[in-house]
Amino acid sequence: MPEPFVAYLRVYEPLSSFDAPLREELAAAVERGPVDPFDAGLREQDVWLRSQLAAPPRLLPGETADGAVQGVGDVLVLDPKEVPSAPAATVGPGPLVCPLDLRGRSAAALVGFLGDSELPLRTAALTVPVEQAKVRASAVVSELAGGAVHVLSSTWTVPLPWFVLVDPTERCVFTEPDRRRVCWRVAMADARRRVARAHSIGRQSIGEEGPTRILRETGRWLERFHPHSAVELDYGGLVQLMTSSDLEADTSAEDVHAIVDAMEADDAEEVATRYESLRDFWSEFAARERHN
């Protein structure tokens, strides 16, 4: 089974920054063994499928049949030494942990699905009455009011504003037999600074909607985490769709940063040129989404 065609924006917080008893639960998850980053998408897919194939099926992964929470679940772990940062930025101490937060993320996705889909589709997809699903999923989302999920995901493509967070020159390409991984890592302080600048420029140049709104929401999300955290932009399963030539031709991060600079300089021609390059590169993947 192929890895889901999903890209990720993740936050890794210092384990020591969590309050008890969550800190102890996360430490136990780290001791059991973190998820291999190469397998994160497949692990999420497996946990979700198992929840739906259980008898009786679970509404959300990480729950028992009656909705009780089973624990913190899986985590990813990152060494602060693997995070490039500006001299003024601090990352750590380690280990840095990123809970996959599947229950909360699934609940948020379910709330969106129930709000957007037609009744026949909702009825066919759910194993419990629609109203019961809505109440339970909304309650889980409400539990997140005091915190935030550590992972944002996007199917088939990478939201272009996400590239604002990273240093284009710090791309990491990891290879193992028959598989690859492409990601950027950045100190939280650097990510917040870049998002704030891009949002300010975008608001003055194109207004508060579109990419500027995504930057505003991303900035607010980042503010909910420890300031010494790390942020990771991971192509995830999208790498399966990319040839080596695609990766060599991928200048998305450079183009997005150039667009922000050109907007600040009021250089409309440069903005148009760079946007056309981005559109040409990502249009192939957008087409595959439509075909699926």
Side-chain angles (χ1 to χ4, degrees):
M1 182 180 296
E3 184 178 350
F5 301 118
V6 179
Y8 303 94
L9 191 62
R10 304 186 180 103
V11 170
Y12 293 75
E13 292 190 272
L15 178 60
S16 57
S17 70
F18 292 89
D19 294 329
L22 179 57
R23 181 176 60 249
E24 286 71 25
E25 294 177 22
L26 289 169
V30 173
E31 185 66 25
R32 290 194 301 270
V35 174
D36 184 335
F38 276 92
D39 298 327
L42 288 173
R43 176 59 180 168
E44 292 185 357
Q45 183 183 63
D46 179 69
V47 171
W48 185 86
L49 287 174
R50 288 179 183 275
S51 72
Q52 301 307 297
L53 296 175
R58 278 53 167 159
L59 179 65
L60 299 170
E63 290 187 346
T64 61
D66 61 1
V69 183
Q70 292 179 312
V72 298
D74 296 309
V75 299
L76 293 163
V77 173
L78 186 61
D79 188 327
K81 296 178 182 177
E82 300 177 39
V83 184
S85 63
T90 299
V91 180
L96 304 173
V97 297
C98 174
L100 294 187
D101 293 331
L102 284 178
R103 180 171 175 263
R105 291 164 57 202
S106 298
L110 180 55
V111 169
F113 169 75
L114 294 174
D116 297 337
S117 59
E118 299 295 331
L119 180 59
L121 179 59
R122 296 199 299 266
T123 303
L126 295 173
T127 58
V128 299
V130 172
E131 285 306 314
Q132 181 181 343
K134 184 180 297 185
V135 169
R136 285 177 56 185
S138 298
V140 174
V141 172
S142 296
E143 293 173 7
L144 298 174
V149 294
H150 288 70
V151 184
L152 303 181
S153 58
S154 173
T155 56
W156 295 101
T157 190
V158 179
L160 296 180
W162 286 4
F163 288 108
V164 163
L165 281 66
V166 304
D167 180 341
T169 66
E170 296 288 355
R171 187 176 74 163
C172 299
V173 180
F174 301 98
T175 59
E176 290 189 1
D178 301 321
R179 60 180 186 171
R180 296 169 300 180
R181 182 169 178 250
V182 175
C183 69
W184 285 262
R185 288 150 178 177
V186 57
M188 176 63 76
D190 296 334
R192 289 176 178 173
R193 172 176 51 80
R194 291 168 182 153
V195 168
R197 172 178 178 262
H199 175 256
S200 176
I201 292 170
R203 184 177 56 198
Q204 295 175 25
S205 178
I206 60 175
E208 281 284 5
E209 296 306 312
T212 309
R213 177 180 57 81
I214 296 175
L215 288 169
R216 181 180 70 249
E217 293 172 351
T218 303
R220 289 175 176 173
W221 178 66
L222 294 176
E223 290 292 338
R224 306 184 78 170
F225 300 101
H226 193 278
H228 297 166
S229 301
V231 183
E232 180 178 68
L233 171 55
D234 187 349
Y235 275 13
L238 297 187
V239 174
Q240 300 168 107
L241 305 174
M242 298 178 175
T243 65
S244 296
S245 297
D246 289 331
L247 290 180
E248 291 176 4
D250 179 19
T251 58
S252 299
E254 291 88 344
D255 290 333
V256 168
H257 279 258
I259 285 174
V260 174
D261 291 341
M263 290 169 63
E264 185 177 38
D266 200 22
D267 186 346
E269 183 177 351
E270 177 70 2
V271 170
T273 299
R274 293 286 186 161
Y275 180 76
E276 183 177 356
S277 175
L278 288 163
R279 184 189 59 195
D280 291 345
F281 181 80
W282 290 102
S283 61
E284 176 185 352
F285 308 107
R288 297 193 187 198
E289 179 181 17
R290 290 193 296 271
H291 296 157
N292 282 270

